[in-house]
Amino acid sequence: TSSSDTSSKTVHSVAAPLDIDNVDTDMIIPARYLKTVSRSGLAEGLFANLRKDDADFVLDRPEYSDASVLVAGDNFGCGSSREHAPWSLYEAGLRCIISTSFANIFENNCFKNGLLPVRVSEAQHAELLKDAENAVPIRIDLETCTVHRECGEVIEFEVDEFKRHCLLNGLNEVTMTLERSDLIDSFEAKMK
């Protein structure tokens, strides 16, 4: 069972384990799926090559069918800067990726597209990976920046305050610009 509230404050779900280091954006969504600027339909290409080679791929197993959290290996999202990678993860229902590290551009693209990347220590990652492998639910709380394990352990994580604010309020660059339309119109009127 998986749930996430509409304001992206909390996610409660089993976490799918993807214990592979250096998963690049081409592994997340192969280039053949990048012929669109639409975000719809991209879940079909999510991990397409891994799924083709592994009939028992983690996201295709029944116990992870509703997972909104992915516990991924180190350096997740390396490679090219394609924004389709977080789009495909989000469209597939994932709302949080947990890893020991993320590629910088991928991490920023996650925040811009409503996906929370959570960095944890190697020891914490090992415990969360065990929980994921046993389909034990976890809860991620963006308001308190904590991961709650079923055993009672609470793991704190850091998020840039502006990025946290944007996720909590469903904001992106377009919505923030539109919120300032009165100021923009006023400026444009003065410039005429």
Side-chain angles (χ1 to χ4, degrees), residues 27-180:
M27 288 175 73
I28 296 169
I29 184 145
R32 66 185 177 274
Y33 293 94
L34 306 183
K35 297 174 184 167
T36 180
V37 292
S38 170
R39 297 175 190 211
S40 63
L42 291 176
E44 174 189 326
L46 181 64
F47 298 116
N49 293 341
L50 292 174
R51 285 179 145 147
K52 182 184 70 158
D53 295 337
D54 182 359
D56 192 36
F57 184 72
V58 66
L59 292 177
D60 296 329
R61 296 182 203 155
E63 63 268 32
Y64 301 112
S65 63
D66 291 330
S68 21
V69 179
L70 183 70
V71 179
D74 188 54
N75 194 30
F76 190 79
C78 57
S80 68
S81 61
R82 62 183 66 156
E83 205 164 13
H84 295 70
W87 289 355
S88 64
L89 291 160
Y90 190 89
E91 189 187 58
L94 292 163
R95 297 298 177 262
C96 178
I97 311 296
I98 299 173
S99 180
T100 51
S101 71
F102 297 93
N104 191 307
I105 293 172
F106 173 81
E107 185 174 31
N108 284 325
N109 282 338
C110 284
F111 282 112
K112 291 178 181 184
N113 290 285
L115 193 61
L116 174 63
V118 171
R119 290 176 187 253
V120 295
S121 71
E122 287 183 22
Q124 293 165 335
H125 181 267
E127 293 303 314
L128 291 168
L129 192 58
K130 284 182 202 170
D131 286 350
E133 289 166 349
N134 291 304
V136 175
I138 60 172
R139 184 170 56 88
I140 295 96
D141 187 328
L142 183 55
E143 281 194 309
T144 60
C145 294
T146 52
V147 176
H148 299 259
R149 296 182 61 216
E150 193 140 292
C151 68
E153 180 186 10
V154 177
I155 299 169
E156 295 181 2
F157 60 90
E158 293 182 15
V159 176
D160 173 84
E161 189 55 38
F162 176 73
K163 292 175 181 176
R164 181 176 163 272
H165 170 78
C166 289
L167 280 178
L168 285 171
N169 295 288
L171 300 173
N172 61 32
E173 283 124 342
V174 174
T175 56
M176 287 186 292
T177 301
L178 291 174
E179 284 182 341
R180 293 171 175 80

